[in-house]
Amino acid sequence: MFEDWVSFGYLLSAILFVFGLKKLGHPRTAPKGNQYGMMGMAVAVVTTVVDMHFLPDGIVGWTIIGSGILIGSLIGYIMAVKVEMTGMPEMVALFNGFGGSASALVALSETWKWIEGTSPEPGLETTVTVVAAGLSALVGWMTLTGSLLAMYKLKGGIEVFGKWIRTPTWGPAWLNPVKGLLFISVLVLIYLSIDDPTNTDYLWAIIGVSCILGIILVLPIGGADMPVVVSLLNSLSGIAAAFTGFIINNSVLIVAGSLVGASGLILTVIMCKAMNRQLSDVLFKSFGGSEKQELTRTKVGSDAEEVAMMADGAQKIIIVPGYGMAVSQCQHQVKEFADLMAEKFGTEIKYGIHPVAGRMPGHMNVLLAEANVPYEQLIEMDQINPEFSECDMAIVIGANDTCNPAARTGEGPLAGMPIIDADQARTVVIIKRSLSVGYAGVDNDLFYEDKTMMLFGDGKKMMNELNSAIKEL
Amino acid sequence: MTPELLIGAITLFVLSIFLGVELITKVPSMLHTPLMSGANAISGISVVGALLGANVAYDGGQTVISGILAFVALVLAMINVVGGFAVTNRMLNMIAGKKRGD
């Protein structure tokens, strides 16, 4: 009797996921939302274990199940705690790949039961299972290879035997029809395997083509579009879980999977809007990073004392952080600078945060919050931009594309991307290791303007020098 | 699987998609990454399928490979779930936790 009601646990779990996702979208309730998600997952796992207990054989694989849960949790926890906040975007991409492949592996495992046991009778159940397993494999394996490639793209490259190899961005126009062809061929393979579900040739072909699809989907995408792709892959891993739900006819997999799939897609569209891009352009028009512009101009660098003199008595300074701040981990020095200026000259300090500064939205917020920068000083791009014209100094730390005026021209890879108007400030200080181009591979006119002072060097080192120069004023 | 069950499952699928679309409206950009990461952890729900698949006896030599596949799926899904929620929690503690002193 009791066992018939176990599935109510899945309903509770689904409700918790709905509330969790809802609350994650608002700053005040977001931590609670995450907790709801955790609870939902715990309820789902407990429900499943209780459910299995009532199976005819009960739970026969205790050791396997227990060790699987333990090993996975341990690895996941250690990875999550150990990761530097700089590497967080890559970590999200990697976890996402794991999720997608887990769904695909469950599908494969179910199919393999037929291969090892008895072939199924043709009928509705077999058809549904084969189609769902095929679709789950398509989306799941695609998510795995796509996410892994996205991870290395976010890192910028891969180290092989001590040699740094840059992750390529490559995508000629003819690749798009190829994607369509491969996609259709997977669908055909799934259709063929309905009549022959235990044919491993079809199985491997589906897996292989899906893996290739994931790679060529992500390969042409570069520049600031990477977060959008990771978000899209996240949506796909949800869809994979939903398809897996059809195989084992499990309600919570279907509900949670399609919830993530749909909300992930909406989030992807929201992120595109923040960059003034269309999702279809991101996916099918090769953009950024493919060809780097040659540098033809030079600029004389300044030193910390000069910058300190210019900063002397400033009323208002806006700091524009970018990925370089994350790499050099100089957020604490930045905070120290802000405190020094406020203390010495009563300077008003604000931070202008571009929606995609760093490698992921929110990246800068996380880093600056870690350095105890007050939340109120972190201003989003749209609000901060009108303020540059009245500010004495804009300090750009390790950012490039997000304040490149080339985006306003309507040409080139950055065209149409909204930027931080740092060039409107009276003086612009740019802390950067060199004049080299940013992620999108476009030279930045801002560097060469007369009012711009370049501080060439590592972010942390230059901020330290600047801070001691300020102290000596 | 009977046609009724299949129709039920498809209904669930379609309605959940609509719900998911309505759930996310305007999200401030600083929450994009935590939301993505949290949703990503939820997509590790395939852990349920992995659990069911890994529950096999290993005596008769049957269903060994399918069991191994499910075990690998279980490990990967647990990494996704635990790691995903933990990393989201870390991010949120930094951005949302400190604001306005509460």
Side-chain angles (χ1 to χ4, degrees):
Chain A
M1 183 61 212
F2 178 67
E3 56 259 45
D4 296 332
W5 298 92
V6 169
S7 298
F8 261 119
Y10 289 144
L11 178 62
L12 177 62
S13 161
I15 291 172
L16 285 166
F17 287 147
V18 170
F19 276 111
L21 282 172
K22 181 87 202 156
K23 285 180 186 293
L24 269 171
H26 299 278
R28 207 163 29 80
T29 55
K32 196 135 238 162
N34 196 41
Q35 283 160 15
Y36 277 39
M38 283 189 237
M39 283 193 276
M41 195 58 77
V43 170
V45 169
V46 171
T47 304
T48 310
V49 172
V50 174
D51 199 22
M52 287 196 293
H53 182 69
F54 287 114
L55 289 174
D57 296 339
I59 300 178
V60 288
W62 270 119
T63 38
I64 300 296
I65 290 173
S67 55
I69 291 182
L70 205 69
I71 295 171
S73 310
L74 215 65
I75 297 175
Y77 186 74
I78 291 172
M79 282 170 85
V81 174
K82 282 243 162 124
V83 66
E84 298 273 341
M85 274 300 146
T86 340
M88 187 186 61
E90 288 100 298
M91 180 83 10
V92 176
L94 182 64
F95 284 152
N96 191 40
F98 286 168
S101 56
S103 297
L105 279 172
V106 172
L108 188 62
S109 159
E110 291 298 317
T111 317
W112 215 274
K113 278 182 186 161
W114 288 339
I115 296 171
E116 289 179 323
T118 43
S119 288
E121 296 290 313
L124 180 68
E125 180 160 359
T126 310
T127 308
V128 170
T129 308
V130 170
V131 171
L135 291 175
S136 173
L138 166 65
V139 184
W141 295 116
M142 208 167 99
T143 307
L144 175 69
T145 55
S147 297
L148 287 177
L149 182 59
M151 182 183 82
Y152 282 110
K153 282 200 162 215
L154 285 164
K155 274 191 180 162
I158 183 171
E159 208 178 284
V160 183
F161 302 117
K163 251 181 83 180
W164 185 253
I165 299 171
R166 215 181 117 84
T167 325
T169 295
W170 175 81
W174 57 262
L175 206 59
N176 285 329
V178 173
K179 289 174 202 163
L181 245 115
L182 289 179
F183 182 73
I184 291 168
S185 69
V186 174
L187 296 186
V188 170
L189 281 166
I190 295 172
Y191 179 75
L192 288 175
S193 54
I194 291 176
D195 287 331
D196 193 3
T198 53
N199 186 329
T200 44
D201 291 346
Y202 291 151
L203 217 56
W204 296 129
I206 291 174
I207 295 174
V209 175
S210 308
C211 286
I212 296 172
L213 252 176
I215 290 174
I216 62 172
L217 191 75
V218 177
L219 199 57
I221 303 165
D225 288 341
M226 232 41 234
V228 176
V229 180
V230 177
S231 174
L232 185 71
L233 290 167
N234 172 41
S235 164
L236 285 180
S237 73
I239 297 290
F243 286 139
T244 305
F246 277 93
I247 306 170
I248 56 173
N249 193 27
N250 183 297
S251 60
V252 75
L253 250 79
I254 297 178
V255 173
S258 38
L259 273 179
V260 171
S263 57
L265 188 66
I266 298 299
L267 179 63
T268 312
V269 173
I270 292 178
M271 282 164 71
C272 280
K273 271 196 193 135
M275 292 191 295
N276 198 23
R277 302 264 291 151
Q278 295 269 321
L279 182 57
S280 54
D281 287 358
V282 172
L283 289 178
F284 301 116
K285 282 189 189 160
S286 187
F287 164 86
S290 47
E291 280 165 41
K292 289 190 150 194
Q293 272 184 8
E294 289 290 321
L295 294 177
T296 48
R297 296 173 286 183
T298 53
K299 167 91 179 181
V300 180
S302 309
D303 60 26
E305 282 75 29
E306 267 181 84
V307 174
M309 270 187 276
M310 289 299 291
D312 190 352
Q315 301 259 300
K316 182 171 183 176
I317 292 181
I318 301 177
I319 296 171
V320 182
Y323 188 61
M325 184 185 84
V327 170
S328 71
Q329 296 281 318
C330 66
Q331 60 269 28
H332 296 278
Q333 283 73 17
V334 173
K335 170 76 160 73
E336 190 192 342
F337 170 78
D339 289 345
L340 273 173
M341 290 301 293
E343 194 183 308
K344 239 177 149 144
F345 309 111
T347 312
E348 185 189 0
I349 304 274
K350 283 186 178 173
Y351 298 81
I353 313 287
H354 191 278
V356 293
R359 290 289 183 268
M360 284 258 157
H363 203 172
M364 295 297 118
N365 303 67
V366 170
L367 290 171
L368 290 168
E370 192 194 2
N372 288 317
V373 171
Y375 176 80
E376 299 77 32
Q377 291 181 3
L378 307 181
I379 318 287
E380 287 195 27
M381 179 180 66
D382 292 338
Q383 274 94 54
I384 197 79
N385 269 347
E387 296 189 26
F388 277 100
S389 51
E390 51 182 83
C391 96
D392 298 294
M393 185 183 270
I395 303 184
V396 179
I397 303 167
N400 189 349
D401 294 339
T402 51
C403 59
N404 190 340
R408 297 201 197 101
T409 59
E411 281 172 31
L414 286 172
M417 187 173 103
I419 55 162
I420 296 263
D421 294 333
D423 56 334
Q424 306 289 320
R426 243 159 271 156
T427 311
V428 183
V429 176
I430 295 175
I431 300 178
K432 206 170 166 300
R433 272 170 302 185
S434 68
L435 285 172
S436 65
V437 295
Y439 209 62
V442 184
D443 198 8
N444 195 336
D445 285 334
L446 181 60
F447 298 167
Y448 307 100
E449 281 192 34
D450 289 337
K451 65 179 175 188
T452 302
M453 303 169 87
M454 299 293 298
L455 277 180
F456 292 118
D458 172 71
K460 194 180 250 171
K461 184 167 160 279
M462 294 323 286
M463 282 314 292
N464 276 330
E465 284 181 20
L466 183 57
N467 286 342
S468 40
I470 297 278
K471 278 180 207 155
E472 283 166 20
L473 278 178
Chain B
M1 181 180 278
T2 58
E4 290 80 39
L5 269 176
L6 178 63
I7 290 170
I10 293 176
T11 309
L12 214 53
F13 179 66
V14 173
L15 290 182
S16 305
I17 285 186
F18 277 105
L19 181 58
V21 169
E22 292 300 318
L23 218 48
I24 306 296
T25 43
K26 202 177 162 353
V27 183
S29 67
M30 67 162 182
L31 281 179
H32 287 176
T33 306
L35 176 59
M36 190 201 302
S37 166
N40 176 31
I42 292 177
S43 72
I45 187 69
S46 47
V47 67
V48 167
L51 279 172
L52 293 166
N55 183 31
V56 284
Y58 295 87
D59 41 6
Q62 289 262 310
T63 62
V64 168
I65 294 178
S66 61
I68 294 172
L69 289 171
F71 173 75
V72 177
L74 180 58
V75 172
L76 290 174
M78 280 314 290
I79 295 178
N80 185 11
V81 168
V82 175
F85 282 126
V87 103
T88 312
N89 202 31
R90 256 184 87 186
M91 281 189 257
L92 288 174
N93 277 342
M94 286 181 180
I95 47 181
K98 284 183 183 166
K99 58 173 295 198
R100 292 183 203 111
D102 58 26

